[in-house]
Amino acid sequence: MSELYVTVETTIPDDRIDLFARLYEEAFGPLRTKAIARQVLHPEEFHAEMVDPRVHKHVARLGSGEPIGVTTLTRHLETVPWISPDYFAARYPEHAARAAIYYAGFTLVAPSAQQGAAFHAMIESVVQIMVAQRATVGWDICSYNNTRYSLADSIRAVLDEQANVEVAVEDSQIYYAARFTGDGATEGG
């Protein structure tokens, strides 16, 4: 693999969004049937994130400039519809006062580059910001990715290697399903 570098971009130009959307679909598309909670942004949601300057895109690129990975990061928590900004503000009031609470929306690496350094390089790029601002950052990982790819362990390893950091599970949500297999009749009922 050629040399790898990371750029931090506030917006992706409209003429490049389709390229990023293809990367996103390759990486996240399979989760449509692997996770009960929706893990894949709709095309219009993806486009909105790519052009929203409040959401910074840490883009892993090959030496040729070709993008092979993206991590989204924002301190404008209202841009992440599935989290509660109030939760973070209540738990980290000093960070909230300094606007130093971030959320990493997604991290993806093209399937062809998943064994390379792109994931590590993008997390390092985020860590540099977190360390400089003594910030707090949240993220979520679906159970499928955590079990199959040990993403939490991978992220924690990169964080521990890069900074003095405390990582904790903040919350969890467990989804259930009931499959009814009979006619519902019970004795004595």
Side-chain angles (χ1 to χ4, degrees):
M1 183 182 288
S2 63
E3 188 175 324
L4 180 78
Y5 64 98
V6 175
T7 59
V8 180
E9 303 175 31
T10 55
T11 59
I12 301 298
D14 277 333
D15 65 340
R16 303 287 291 164
I17 290 176
D18 284 346
L19 171 64
F20 284 86
R22 282 192 300 277
L23 282 174
Y24 181 78
E25 181 60 33
E26 286 177 15
F28 276 77
L31 292 176
R32 284 189 180 89
T33 60
K34 305 294 185 192
I36 200 167
R38 183 168 66 96
Q39 300 292 310
V40 183
L41 296 173
H42 295 303
E44 61 276 4
E45 293 170 319
F46 182 81
H47 184 275
E49 252 189 61
M50 294 295 100
V51 298
D52 189 335
R54 299 170 299 170
V55 179
H56 291 188
K57 282 61 90 178
H58 293 247
V59 181
R61 296 179 179 278
L62 297 176
S64 65
E66 176 189 352
I68 59 168
V70 181
T71 293
T72 60
L73 181 70
T74 187
R75 67 174 160 192
H76 300 276
L77 302 186
E78 70 278 4
T79 67
V80 186
W82 60 89
I83 66 163
S84 170
D86 295 336
Y87 175 92
F88 289 97
R91 279 157 185 77
Y92 305 100
E94 185 269 328
H95 291 83
R98 296 188 289 111
I101 300 173
Y102 288 79
Y103 203 81
F106 64 79
T107 295
L108 69 88
V109 176
S112 62
Q114 287 182 350
Q115 300 305 312
F119 177 83
H120 197 277
M122 290 183 301
I123 301 303
E124 281 182 21
S125 179
V126 168
V127 167
Q128 290 174 3
I129 293 166
M130 299 301 104
V131 169
Q133 295 187 17
R134 293 181 350 271
T136 292
V137 61
W139 68 90
D140 60 89
I141 303 170
C142 72
S143 177
Y144 175 80
N145 275 344
N146 218 18
T147 302
R148 173 119 190 218
Y149 301 108
S150 301
L151 283 182
D153 294 339
S154 297
I155 291 170
R156 184 178 299 229
V158 175
L159 295 177
D160 286 343
E161 169 184 301
Q162 298 297 313
N164 183 10
V165 62
E166 297 173 9
V167 178
V169 174
E170 287 287 320
D171 195 7
S172 66
Q173 186 162 336
I174 300 173
Y175 293 87
Y176 296 90
R179 184 170 61 97
F180 295 84
T181 58
D183 63 9
T186 59
E187 282 188 40

